[in-house]
């Protein structure tokens, strides 16, 4: 969209050892910055007053959610995120994580308060009108749809949300040099490309390069981010999923994808289990679901216009 872009800071997770989410540090960071967040809300007021939008679309962003809750006079809000599936009765339940799931349900209620919610899902599920939830497919970047998936890929593509996991990848690769690995990670000041060994190459994060290599690979290993999982499913690439430690959203994502039949969920990068994956996933049903995204988006926008502000 050729429109002005205004960037505002927001809340962020804090990590321990560049691997696991630190809930304590994250909470401390939020409390320390309360004054700053109030200032950001005032800035958001100014942006809305100047732009006078007909609709606000919030991609699961907490500052915008607090704006929706605290402002009486404002445009209708559409809140979009796969996290709203935590409020769906048909979503995967993990008895061993009931406290974490309860926390996520409460958090998603806050972020979706006074808004119409589009809950993104890997599979079709019924809407929940009483909670103003419409269930829709993943909304994926257009570059994906121009790619041809190579059914004969000869390497494994890895995405690490945190570079602290790189040591596990190196250790496994040293023991299995016959498997070619390409790994994207967020290591500060890393070169664009670094060949650790003939069978292991590290890449600095690059969205377009990663997507093109996903179309060419055999399997995808990642930390269970919803978009990466969805893109791999579209391309028919089986997944090995290792959610970030202490990150309940990714842990449930991984189990949901495993139940959906598109990958294996694990707690460590034990890539020995790659042999359990098929060479390719069927894509026809999932692609039909993704193709319905515009219809679902229009439905949620129409609903938002009737929703009490």
């Amino acid at each position: 969209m050729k429109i002005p872009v205004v960037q505002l800071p927001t809340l962020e997770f804090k990590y321990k050892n560049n691997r696991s989410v630190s809930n304590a540090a994250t909470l401390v960071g939020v409390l320390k910055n309360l004054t700053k967040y109030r200032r950001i809300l005032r800035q958001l007021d100014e942006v809305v007053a100047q732009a006078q939008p007909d609709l606000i679309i919030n991609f699961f962003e907490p500052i915008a959610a607090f704006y929706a809750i605290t402002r009486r006079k404002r445009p209708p809000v559409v809140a979009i995120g796969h996290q709203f599936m935590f409020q769906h009765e048909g979503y995967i339940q993990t008895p061993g994580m009931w406290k974490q799931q309860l926390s996520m349900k409460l958090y998603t209620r806050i972020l979706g308060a006074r808004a119409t919610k589009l809950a993104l899902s890997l599979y079709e599920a019924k809407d929940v009108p009483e909670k103003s939830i419409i269930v829709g497919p993943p909304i994926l970047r257009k570059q994906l749809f121009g790619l041809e998936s190579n059914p004969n890929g000869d390497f494994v593509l890895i995405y690490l949300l945190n570079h602290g996991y790189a040591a596990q990848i190196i250790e496994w690769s040293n023991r299995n040099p016959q498997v070619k690995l390409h790994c994207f990670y967020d290591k500060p000041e890393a070169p664009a490309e670094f060949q650790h060994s003939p069978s292991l190459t590290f890449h600095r994060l690059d969205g377009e390069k990663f997507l093109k290599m996903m179309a060419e690979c055999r399997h995808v290993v990642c930390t269970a981010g919803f978009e990466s999982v969805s893109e791999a499913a579209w391309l028919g690439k089986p997944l090995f999923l290792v959610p970030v430690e202490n990150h309940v959203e990714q842990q449930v994502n991984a189990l949901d994808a495993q139940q959906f039949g598109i990958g294996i969920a694990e707690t460590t990068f034990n890539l020995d289990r790659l042999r359990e994956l098929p060479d390719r996933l069927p894509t026809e049903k999932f692609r039909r679901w993704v193709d319905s995204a515009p219809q679902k988006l229009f439905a949620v926008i129409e609903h938002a216009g009737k929703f009490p502000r």
Side-chain angles (χ1 to χ4, degrees):
M1 297 183 185
K2 296 181 180 180
I3 56 174
V5 175
V6 179
Q7 293 185 332
L8 300 175
T10 186
L11 286 69
E12 59 183 19
F13 283 115
K14 302 293 183 182
Y15 292 92
K16 182 179 180 181
N17 300 325
N18 293 305
R19 287 176 50 166
S20 63
V21 173
S22 173
N23 292 326
T26 299
L27 179 60
V28 169
V30 170
L31 295 175
K32 286 174 62 177
N33 289 290
L34 286 178
T35 301
K36 182 180 76 171
Y37 298 143
R38 284 196 293 268
R39 185 171 63 252
I40 296 168
L41 283 172
R42 289 195 294 270
Q43 290 178 276
L44 193 51
D45 270 325
E46 295 171 3
V47 171
V48 173
Q50 182 176 0
Q52 297 187 0
D54 299 309
L55 180 77
I56 294 175
I57 299 180
N58 176 18
F59 287 91
F60 206 73
E61 199 288 310
I63 295 291
F66 296 148
Y67 173 86
I69 294 170
T70 57
R71 270 51 180 177
R72 294 184 61 186
K73 294 184 178 180
R74 56 160 176 77
V77 175
V78 168
I80 299 177
H82 72 279
Q83 296 91 338
F84 292 117
M85 285 299 293
F86 277 92
Q87 296 185 38
H88 198 288
E89 62 180 12
Y91 195 47
I92 184 170
Q93 299 296 314
T94 51
M97 299 171 58
W98 68 270
K99 290 181 180 178
Q100 295 93 324
Q101 282 197 290
L102 178 60
S103 298
M104 277 300 298
K105 286 180 180 179
L106 294 174
Y107 185 57
T108 56
R109 285 179 184 174
I110 293 172
L111 264 68
R114 300 185 64 209
T116 298
K117 294 167 281 292
L118 178 58
L120 306 181
S121 171
L122 293 172
Y123 41 82
E124 295 185 59
K126 65 180 182 180
D127 298 336
V128 190
E130 64 271 19
K131 296 181 181 178
S132 294
I133 292 177
I134 295 173
V135 179
I139 300 175
L140 305 177
R141 46 187 162 170
K142 64 180 181 180
Q143 295 95 323
L144 175 71
F145 306 119
L147 296 175
E148 290 291 333
S149 180
N150 181 358
N152 302 309
D154 65 350
F155 66 91
V156 176
L157 182 65
I158 303 173
Y159 168 71
L160 302 179
L161 177 63
N162 305 102
H163 67 270
Y165 292 99
Q168 293 185 22
I169 303 301
I170 292 172
E171 181 184 352
W172 189 88
S173 182
N174 289 341
R175 290 187 283 106
N176 298 272
Q178 75 281 5
V179 181
K180 186 186 297 185
L181 305 176
H182 284 273
C183 179
F184 284 72
Y185 65 167
D186 67 342
K187 187 175 181 179
E189 301 180 2
E193 189 170 309
F194 168 66
Q195 189 168 18
H196 174 80
S197 69
S199 59
L200 173 59
T201 303
F202 285 99
H203 304 262
R204 191 170 60 223
L205 294 184
D206 182 326
E208 290 194 18
K209 182 180 180 183
F210 178 80
L211 197 58
K212 290 177 182 177
M213 292 188 72
M214 184 186 288
E216 295 296 324
C217 75
R218 182 177 183 182
H219 296 140
V220 174
V221 177
C222 64
T223 44
F226 183 74
E227 286 75 21
S228 297
V229 169
S230 301
E231 289 168 348
W234 169 271
L235 292 167
K237 305 298 182 178
L239 287 145
F240 182 85
L241 300 163
V242 184
V244 172
E245 295 171 26
N246 205 30
H247 196 309
V248 60
E249 177 192 327
Q250 288 203 357
Q251 291 169 340
V252 175
N253 283 352
L255 294 173
D256 192 40
Q258 179 174 267
Q259 181 172 284
F260 186 49
I262 60 175
I264 294 173
E266 255 286 7
T267 56
T268 64
F269 285 90
N270 174 23
L271 302 187
D272 291 344
R273 297 195 65 191
L274 287 171
R275 64 173 64 96
E276 301 174 33
L277 293 173
D279 289 337
R280 186 165 173 80
L281 297 173
T283 62
E284 185 177 348
K285 183 177 180 180
F286 183 72
R287 289 190 174 193
R288 282 201 306 268
W289 174 230
V290 171
D291 287 343
S292 70
Q295 173 190 344
K296 288 290 186 176
L297 188 55
F298 288 135
V300 78
I301 288 173
E302 289 178 357
H303 185 277
K306 306 169 187 175
F307 188 77
R309 302 184 190 183

